[in-house]
Amino acid sequence: MASSFANFLVSPPLVPGSELVRPRFRVLARNAPGGADQAVSSLEPVALNGTPPAPTPVAHKEERSFESVVGGNGRFGLAFEVEEEKRKEQPRRFDDGMGVDKLEILWDDGYGSVTIKDYLDASKEILKPDGGPPRWFCPVECGQPLKDSPVLLFLPGLDGMGMGLILHHKALGRVFEVRCLHIPVQDRTPFEGLVKLVEETVRLEHAISPKKPIYLVGDSFGGCLALAIAARNPSIDLVVILANPATSFGQSQLQPLLPVLEALPDELHFTIPYLLSFVMGDPMKMAMVNIDNKIPPRLQLEQLSGNLTALLPRLSTLIDIIPKGTLLWKLKLLKSAASYANSRLHAIRAEVLVLASGKDNMIPSREEGQRLVKSIRNCRVRHFKDNGHTLLMEEGINLLTVIKGTCTYRRSRRHDYISDFLPPSMWEFKTGFEQIIGLFRYACSSILYSTLEDGTIVKGLSGVPSKGPVLLVGYHMLMGFELYSLVEEFLREKNVLVRGVAHPELFMGSMESPTSEFSLPDWLKVFGAVPVTASSLYKLLATNSHALLYPGGSREALHYKGEEYKVIWPDQPEFVRMAARFGATIVPFGAIGEDDIVEYVLDYNDMMKIPFLNDYIRELTQKTIRVRDSGSGEVANDQLFLPGILPKVPGRMYYLFGKPIEIRGREEILMDKKNASELYFQIKSEVERSMAYLIKKREEDPYRNIFDRVTYRVLHSPSNEIPGFKP
């Protein structure tokens, strides 16, 4: 049985006085039993219920509606006309018209603009029965994806509506061709039939683009369906993302209630959907999706109250989504799906990412995530300890951010840290720097200085070139404390993303465990961290990026007591000739403040004197990837350990970017090792001078102490930048 994709136009319900709208979207048409497949490709409106289309006027208004189209013959059981909300005009760069070329830095991903209320409204419109089979649809909110974007197929949970990604449509639609599976309420297709439907689509997509991965996002029941497809198609490149998969349905807390549901009188069934809504998710987290945590608590409570008030009347829609007969059928279907998927886990070769909630009251998702990691060959997990079963509907869970942070997004067989990188969105910028490290940045109040071409030191980053390729080379403070403020200020002041090279262990999975949460290492990847390899640096400079390099690496970041602000670099000029190859501008910089933030208690030498702990460090070091060989000098002695530190009453962090060193046109550096070495030691000396300057000048800063900074914020607006010393 063939299936076809087509671009077509659908007219809205023909209601007197209504305006005709012509939204274009992509649909997979699959026939009902006994009908013939038919691909529609036309620039004319399709007739609705046998009524000829009216002449096509200019569209003035867009509405979300779901109407039968050519109903009854199985050609198209349902047409989806999805409202595309007015979006902020984003600056885009287009290629030859075949698709968006790239995303801009701090783009609008739309997260927080849609809530559970919109899900219930959309589901209410889809519910109109048409007698058709399960089918695919693509919401118009998804918009136009990047050129060569992979296909993402969403497999819904128990509801079957296919709207479970509604909070993520806009973000995912920019980087995927999104298609959602809709299973009508009255449909009774068995699990094997659903597997066949999805499998046909997967194989068709693979035949069209055999070099691209196909993404399967399975929510609850859809997780079982995704795993079944992966097990049956081991030769197809699949990326499977599971949100609280229902493979553990056999251990569900709802199992004892199944006989009660069957015996429950129809008159009382209206209470079941309400109870399930509280069991499956956290209503508070759902209602908080669009609430800005920066507004005053009083306003947050008012907005939360308004959201809950608007949500409660819409919960009656749940009765129509899962009537008694459908609920009993879906529970039996769920049992069959879990059994089918669990019996085939050993056959899965796909890349699998499990998103597991810690407060799932429907199934034991946390334990199931740990089991799947051990049962599936290429499987990772991220736990969300404070979320419920409806993970993708709850506050703070941005699916695209999770995909990016786990390096799961790719357009070909292998992930490329440069070509597959997606820049951070505005939501990610605010969440990362205001929530994830908000307390740290508030306590440190970093201040940055730079040097102009004439040697003048100024506050801010005006002395650093905005146009790449630029190579920032500097001192790696204890545990990399300086990294966060540096990346933030370049984004905030210059709208430039600085991409740092990091230890390969951050990307190898050795730091992960079956209980890993989405944490700081993942956020580093969201903001562009790449493995420290010659290939990574080459690609960054070749793409005119701002690259951040620490020649001292982990040896400098995990230095010993008494080595504060000691520059520990290799003997060879590793980066100079690479920068010269691309004519990059090198900007040396120094950063200080670790001694104002923490007290260094235990270093490597201290820990190696402690029984048991020294064995652990030795074992960890043996498993660690060696970045440099022994010929690189002291910097090659990079032992991975977690320093013992205690917090201090916070001082302040200071940065000074030196005068940019222009290399373009200095080809002799490429040819002569002596010239390269001279420039290398010049850069190293500049880093040391910058730190010596900052150590001296910070004594003149009237706001070095946190109490003085707090007082300044009280007397002035909290958003005002706190002054520092005069350069």
Side-chain angles (χ1 to χ4, degrees):
M1 182 183 298
S3 298
S4 302
F5 284 103
N7 287 324
F8 69 101
L9 300 173
V10 183
S11 55
L14 299 180
V15 180
S18 67
E19 297 177 79
L20 186 59
V21 186
R22 301 183 52 181
R24 180 191 296 271
F25 59 97
R26 239 176 149 214
V27 150
L28 172 63
R30 182 183 186 277
N31 70 311
D37 290 345
Q38 177 173 343
V40 178
S41 180
S42 174
L43 294 180
E44 298 300 322
V46 179
L48 287 173
N49 298 325
T51 305
T56 306
V58 178
H60 296 291
K61 186 169 86 174
E62 294 182 353
E63 296 180 353
R64 180 183 281 119
S65 60
F66 303 85
E67 283 293 320
S68 298
V69 177
V70 199
N73 61 4
R75 294 176 182 172
F76 291 93
L78 195 66
F80 294 87
E81 233 179 275
V82 188
E83 175 188 9
E84 184 172 18
E85 298 180 0
K86 293 181 179 180
R87 302 190 244 175
K88 296 179 181 177
E89 189 63 28
Q90 293 292 315
R92 300 181 184 175
R93 196 180 92 193
F94 290 90
D95 57 6
D96 58 358
M98 298 301 292
V100 181
D101 188 19
K102 64 181 236 180
L103 294 175
E104 298 295 329
I105 295 173
L106 303 185
W107 56 288
D108 176 20
D109 64 7
Y111 187 80
S113 61
V114 179
T115 67
I116 183 65
K117 176 175 68 70
D118 299 279
Y119 163 80
L120 293 172
D121 289 343
S123 297
K124 184 176 181 180
E125 297 175 14
I126 301 178
L127 285 170
K128 300 174 183 178
D130 65 349
R135 80 291 312 258
W136 300 100
F137 71 95
C138 178
V140 176
E141 288 99 330
C142 291
Q144 181 187 30
L146 294 175
K147 184 179 179 181
D148 296 327
S149 293
V151 168
L152 184 150
L153 303 177
F154 175 64
L155 310 178
L158 196 65
D159 64 322
M161 293 294 100
M163 299 300 293
L165 287 181
I166 192 168
L167 273 64
H168 313 274
H169 280 168
K170 184 175 180 180
L172 295 175
R174 297 294 297 274
V175 297
F176 291 104
E177 292 185 23
V178 179
R179 292 161 204 163
C180 305
L181 179 63
H182 173 70
I183 306 174
V185 173
Q186 301 302 327
D187 180 77
R188 296 297 183 264
T189 303
F191 184 72
E192 289 78 4
L194 295 175
V195 170
K196 184 178 180 181
L197 167 63
V198 178
E199 189 173 60
E200 287 178 355
T201 305
V202 167
R203 291 179 177 178
L204 174 62
E205 285 297 335
H206 177 65
I208 294 173
S209 303
K211 295 183 179 180
K212 287 185 184 180
I214 299 172
Y215 283 72
L216 300 178
V217 177
D219 181 16
S220 188
F221 165 77
C224 298
L225 189 53
L227 289 173
I229 299 302
R232 290 165 57 97
N233 297 273
S235 62
I236 297 180
D237 185 13
L238 297 175
V239 180
V240 180
I241 301 174
L242 309 173
N244 294 325
T247 45
S248 63
F249 183 67
Q251 289 77 46
S252 172
Q253 301 179 42
L254 300 182
Q255 286 288 344
L257 298 179
L258 297 184
V260 178
L261 292 176
E262 294 182 1
L264 189 71
D266 294 343
E267 295 79 9
L268 297 179
H269 177 74
F270 75 93
T271 62
I272 299 301
Y274 289 95
L275 294 175
L276 284 178
S277 68
F278 288 94
V279 171
M280 295 178 66
D282 186 338
M284 295 292 289
K285 283 191 173 292
M286 293 181 186
M288 291 179 65
V289 167
N290 63 344
I291 298 179
D292 188 351
N293 66 343
K294 292 185 67 176
I295 64 177
R298 179 181 61 82
L299 297 180
Q300 291 187 31
L301 288 174
E302 289 180 3
Q303 193 170 349
L304 176 62
S305 175
N307 289 349
L308 290 173
T309 301
L311 178 61
L312 290 175
R314 291 173 167 84
L315 290 179
S316 60
T317 304
L318 295 174
I319 303 174
D320 300 320
I321 293 177
I322 43 177
K324 181 178 180 180
T326 299
L327 177 60
L328 294 175
W329 164 257
K330 289 288 181 70
L331 290 175
K332 293 178 181 178
L333 191 66
L334 199 55
K335 184 177 181 180
S336 171
S339 176
Y340 188 103
N342 282 320
S343 66
R344 292 164 173 80
L345 294 180
H346 63 280
I348 296 174
R349 299 294 180 268
E351 178 183 358
V352 179
L353 175 64
V354 180
L355 312 182
S357 294
K359 294 183 179 179
D360 189 338
N361 295 320
M362 182 175 175
I363 54 178
S365 292
R366 180 176 177 84
E367 293 76 12
E368 182 65 4
Q370 298 175 23
R371 183 183 76 90
L372 292 176
V373 168
K374 299 175 182 178
S375 303
I376 301 176
R377 178 177 301 183
N378 183 18
C379 182
R380 296 175 295 159
V381 66
R382 288 296 182 272
H383 288 278
F384 300 87
K385 61 181 180 180
D386 296 322
N387 292 89
H389 186 70
T390 52
L391 181 66
L392 300 178
M393 288 284 186
E394 297 183 8
E395 181 263 341
I397 308 298
N398 188 326
L399 180 57
L400 183 58
T401 302
V402 175
I403 292 173
K404 291 161 62 177
T406 53
C407 295
T408 308
Y409 183 79
R410 53 188 173 91
R411 301 182 181 93
S412 58
R413 178 70 63 172
R414 298 183 61 182
H415 175 79
D416 188 293
Y417 292 101
I418 309 303
S419 61
D420 288 329
F421 176 70
L422 302 173
S425 67
M426 181 58 75
W427 181 87
E428 290 165 342
F429 175 78
K430 292 180 178 179
T431 302
F433 293 109
E434 293 175 4
Q435 296 183 28
I436 306 303
I437 61 167
L439 182 60
F440 177 82
R441 61 187 287 270
Y442 181 89
C444 295
S445 300
S446 302
I447 184 167
L448 287 73
Y449 298 86
S450 61
T451 308
L452 303 179
E453 290 289 343
D454 61 3
T456 304
I457 297 176
V458 296
K459 186 172 178 293
L461 296 171
S462 57
V464 181
S466 298
K467 185 178 180 180
V470 173
L471 183 60
L472 305 175
V473 183
Y475 170 73
H476 212 356
M477 201 182 296
L478 181 66
M479 299 181 67
F481 286 141
E482 82 292 341
L483 179 64
Y484 316 119
S485 295
L486 188 153
V487 173
E488 177 190 7
E489 290 306 317
F490 268 87
L491 283 169
R492 190 183 302 277
E493 182 176 335
K494 301 179 76 69
N495 197 38
V496 166
L497 178 62
V498 174
R499 302 197 62 184
V501 291
H503 199 286
E505 288 294 327
L506 185 68
F507 305 88
M508 298 302 294
S510 57
M511 300 175 63
E512 298 182 9
S513 72
T515 58
S516 293
E517 297 181 6
F518 193 82
S519 56
L520 187 58
D522 297 313
W523 279 100
L524 293 177
K525 299 167 195 172
V526 170
F527 284 91
V530 299
V532 56
T533 64
S535 174
S536 295
L537 186 59
Y538 181 96
K539 291 179 180 179
L540 286 175
L541 296 179
T543 52
N544 297 323
S545 302
H546 282 62
L548 175 62
L549 177 67
Y550 296 107
S554 58
R555 174 62 181 87
E556 205 169 66
L558 300 176
H559 59 250
Y560 307 152
K561 287 189 291 187
E563 291 183 339
E564 293 83 1
Y565 311 130
K566 177 183 177 182
V567 178
I568 307 172
W569 285 13
D571 299 330
Q572 301 298 323
E574 299 174 328
F575 60 86
V576 173
R577 299 176 74 183
M578 180 79 77
R581 180 182 295 274
F582 295 98
T585 301
I586 298 178
V587 182
F589 73 92
I592 67 168
E594 66 177 73
D595 55 338
D596 264 4
I597 299 172
V598 296
E599 184 72 36
Y600 205 162
V601 180
L602 294 174
D603 65 5
Y604 174 79
N605 294 324
D606 297 325
M607 292 183 178
M608 293 305 290
K609 299 175 183 177
I610 302 175
F612 306 110
L613 187 57
N614 56 10
D615 293 334
Y616 172 77
I617 295 176
R618 287 194 184 97
E619 182 181 354
L620 180 63
T621 302
Q622 290 176 357
K623 296 179 180 179
T624 300
I625 298 174
R626 307 297 296 184
V627 177
R628 294 184 174 92
D629 56 32
S630 57
S632 299
E634 173 63 20
V635 73
N637 186 27
D638 54 344
Q639 313 292 341
L640 290 189
F641 67 100
L642 187 62
I645 58 176
L646 292 175
K648 285 184 176 180
V649 175
R652 200 172 191 183
M653 294 176 61
Y654 303 85
Y655 302 72
L656 174 58
F657 293 85
K659 183 178 177 180
I661 301 173
E662 183 68 52
I663 298 184
R664 190 180 302 276
R666 298 173 62 177
E667 289 78 8
E668 73 278 3
I669 295 177
L670 284 172
M671 306 300 296
D672 190 344
K673 291 184 178 180
K674 181 180 179 181
N675 289 332
S677 295
E678 289 178 355
L679 180 57
Y680 175 76
F681 287 109
Q682 176 190 339
I683 295 169
K684 181 178 179 181
S685 298
E686 184 62 31
V687 171
E688 293 171 332
R689 282 196 297 269
S690 296
M691 289 194 291
Y693 173 86
L694 292 173
I695 291 172
K696 178 181 178 181
K697 293 292 290 184
R698 70 177 174 180
E699 302 296 334
E700 303 174 12
D701 184 1
Y703 300 103
R704 180 180 175 186
N705 188 283
I706 189 173
F707 299 112
D708 295 322
R709 297 197 297 273
V710 170
T711 302
Y712 183 89
R713 284 194 174 98
V714 171
L715 297 178
H716 302 77
S717 171
S719 60
N720 283 356
E721 187 175 350
I722 299 175
F725 64 79
K726 293 183 179 180

